[in-house]
Amino acid sequence: MDRFVSAIIVAAGNSTRMGLNKSKQFIELCGKTVIERTLTAFENAEIISSVVVVCRPDDEDEIRAIVKTCGFDKVKALVYGGESRDISVKNGVEACDSRTTHFAIHDGARPLIDEKDINAVVNEAFKSDAAALGTLVTDTIKVVDDDEIIVSTPVRSALRAVQTPQVFEKNLYLKALLEGSNKGITDDCQLVESIGARVKIVIGSEKNIKLTTQNDIAIAEKFIGD
């Protein structure tokens, strides 16, 4: 069976916590915008067949210009996001090529993803139908109640900090979308878990951070410079 992996780059957030007057997709990290760095990794990853970008309407023209200038030939569609992340992903899924066999869903605000990790997690999904990048947890995690009182301490060796891409066999993910769409689930792994499927974690790089606050910009630039 020929495999056709469609990457869905979710870049439709409002960037509220970043505290800037522009989308974080256009923040420059060592001379290149966030969205350019993200798309470069997927363009160069041979295992990716096609790319769909989910964006805000206000950002469409600038993203299209970046796609054209950089020659991102794999980008086949730009679609608008919805009121929540799950709706944005659904809009991306609906715009994917009919030949798609697997969806690789990635946060546009994780610009330091590299081709090696993209290939690793997609190859795992070819075997297990569902896989996601993640890292080991080094801090001790505590579960607290509403009064910030510790109620339990999970075993650290059993914890993973989940990243993206998260990759799913097409029919499995479409079933999860259909059956889990009314459950208020925004995490794609959790959505697939909710229908009884198992998701395999592939250990990725700690550099694959998500840009959420301005502090993350400095961290990302340091990683780029290392």
Side-chain angles (χ1 to χ4, degrees):
M1 173 183 172
D2 291 333
R3 289 162 173 149
F4 191 103
V5 183
S6 289
I8 299 168
I9 309 301
V10 186
N14 290 322
S15 308
T16 305
R17 285 176 287 179
M18 190 61 72
L20 301 175
N21 60 357
K22 62 179 178 180
S23 168
K24 58 187 170 185
Q25 301 303 323
F26 307 129
I27 294 170
E28 287 201 359
L29 300 175
C30 298
K32 293 183 180 179
T33 62
V34 167
I35 190 65
E36 180 182 348
R37 288 188 177 277
T38 301
L39 291 177
T40 296
F42 284 86
E43 182 76 23
N44 292 340
E46 292 183 2
I47 208 163
I48 300 298
S49 307
S50 179
V51 176
V52 171
V53 179
V54 185
C55 66
R56 303 187 310 170
D58 289 348
D59 297 340
E60 179 184 8
D61 289 346
E62 191 165 351
I63 292 177
R64 285 194 184 279
I66 290 170
V67 169
K68 182 177 180 180
T69 300
C70 296
F72 293 135
D73 295 331
K74 289 183 181 178
V75 177
K76 302 303 182 184
L78 268 68
V79 297
Y80 297 154
E83 294 181 358
S84 59
R85 187 183 186 281
D86 54 326
I87 296 174
S88 294
V89 174
K90 184 174 182 292
N91 292 349
V93 164
E94 291 174 348
C96 286
D97 192 292
S98 61
R99 294 170 290 175
T100 299
T101 61
H102 294 76
F103 300 117
I105 303 167
H106 184 69
D107 298 322
R110 291 186 186 271
L112 303 190
I113 184 64
D114 63 32
E115 301 153 47
K116 175 178 66 68
D117 284 344
I118 294 172
N119 290 334
V121 70
V122 172
N123 274 314
E124 178 56 46
F126 288 161
K127 295 183 287 185
S128 61
D129 288 342
L133 285 179
T135 57
L136 302 177
V137 174
T138 56
D139 292 327
T140 297
I141 304 298
K142 300 289 186 180
V143 178
V144 300
D145 62 17
D146 292 341
D147 296 318
E148 294 297 320
I149 302 299
I150 295 171
V151 296
S152 65
T153 305
V155 178
R156 185 168 55 193
S157 61
L159 299 176
R160 299 291 182 268
V162 178
Q163 304 175 336
T164 64
Q166 298 177 4
V167 188
F168 309 99
E169 189 274 330
K170 177 181 179 178
N171 292 326
L172 172 65
Y173 190 74
L174 292 179
K175 180 182 179 183
L177 271 182
L178 181 64
E179 297 183 13
S181 60
N182 61 348
K183 298 179 181 178
I185 298 172
T186 57
D187 176 74
D188 297 296
C189 286
Q190 187 180 0
L191 185 68
V192 170
E193 293 167 54
S194 74
I195 62 169
R198 299 195 302 176
V199 182
K200 179 68 178 283
I201 292 293
V202 175
I203 300 300
S205 169
E206 293 182 357
K207 294 182 179 181
N208 185 24
I209 63 171
K210 185 175 183 180
L211 301 184
T212 303
T213 69
Q214 292 193 41
N215 288 339
D216 298 324
I217 299 173
I219 295 171
E221 290 191 319
K222 183 178 185 305
F223 280 143
I224 293 169
D226 287 346

